[in-house]
Amino acid sequence: KYVLWPRIDQKSCFKSIATAGFVPIVIENLLEGDELRTDLAAVEKEIEDRGAESILCVLSTTSCFAPRVPDKVQELAKICKRHDVPHVINNAYGVQADRCMNLIEEAHRVGRVDAFIQSTDKNFLVPVGGGVVAGFDKAFIDEISKLYPGRASAAPTIDVFITLLSLGVAGYKRLLAERKELFKALSAGIAEVAAEHGERLLTTPHNPISLAISLSSLSHRGDGAGGAQRPGEDATFFGSMLFQRCISGTRVVAPGSSKTIAGHTFTNWGAHHDNYPCSYLTAAAAVGMTRHDVDTFLSRLRKTWAKFDRQKGAKTESVVAVAEHVVSGLEKETG
């Protein structure tokens, strides 16, 4: 009946549980430094309180947007093995990161992993629309394959086949190695841009693909009353400026956004946490990126931030001028 789901603010994950007719049990993440990590005690308590026989599976995650980091899948695998509860891993774009794949291998070695699912477009440079279900028990994966009703397009399979055939093993491994080096370059570059504006690169060493920088200076926390700014309005406006400049891969997460999905309300949707301490911007180094892509992104980020600061400064000066005019008028009337 139940699926235990360490929170990851990605709608399709949550919707898949509800659409299949099961009840998702959201396990809130723990804030450890800047990172959001798995609450193992909460997972085990839910199993014990509800009874292992009523749990369909634990649905954990490896690849995710920082400051969320991969779940502690080894420890979850041990818990699942101890309680005889199935364990499914959402490995969306983890194939391109050897650290994510090593986590899954180790989880299988020390505990229970029934299946792990990954996206073709995120890992194999093809259009959106395909996925790969894998596992360590061939017979179990064959049973899943037999459930396929047929009649879907063969395009995703053909796309992957053509791409991998053209790249070859050496070509694909070269792209994976390049991605790791580009991650380092992106990390250093985005940290430098953040520091120029009094912000910082969030410390998320357990995430091998995604990075995040704070946007604390953009986290306005007024309540919106009397025409005041809404919480995070500056941050989301900054995000829109980036999008208009064809920077579509970043995400700006600001406080105050709640979303209800299948009857469950998530506070501060997008942050993977009810009360993350700051607004932030994420960026990822994905397979297929080039050094030119990284340099172009950093250049546009730097220029956009400078323009945002200029616009914000002009707006502030305008507000101050209006306030001074009002005060001057009041002084004349009372004088």
Side-chain angles (χ1 to χ4, degrees), residues 68 86 95 111 127 149 153 158 170 172 188 226 231-232 242 257 261 272 277 297 300:
R68 176 72 154 79
V95 174
S153 171
I158 295 172
Y172 188 64
L242 292 171
S257 173
I261 304 172
H272 321 286
F297 162 66
R300 292 184 185 179

Side-chain angles (χ1 to χ4, degrees), residues 44-99:
E44 188 145 35
K45 186 176 186 303
E46 288 288 352
I47 295 175
E48 293 171 349
D49 290 350
R50 297 178 186 276
E53 67 284 352
S54 69
I55 308 295
L56 174 73
C57 71
V58 172
L59 178 55
S60 61
T61 303
T62 53
S63 57
C64 48
F65 291 112
R68 176 72 154 79
V69 299
D71 281 317
K72 298 177 180 179
V73 291
Q74 298 105 316
E75 290 85 349
L76 288 173
K78 293 177 183 178
I79 291 172
C80 289
K81 183 176 182 179
R82 186 160 61 246
H83 293 279
D84 194 24
V85 170
H87 182 198
V88 178
I89 300 176
N90 173 14
N91 189 44
Y93 49 96
V95 174
Q96 64 188 278
D98 53 7
R99 194 183 305 176

Side-chain angles (χ1 to χ4, degrees), residues 16 46 99 104 118 150 183 267 281 296-297:
S16 69
E46 288 288 352
R99 194 183 305 176
I104 294 172
Q118 35 276 310
F183 179 81
T267 301
L281 177 147
T296 299
F297 162 66

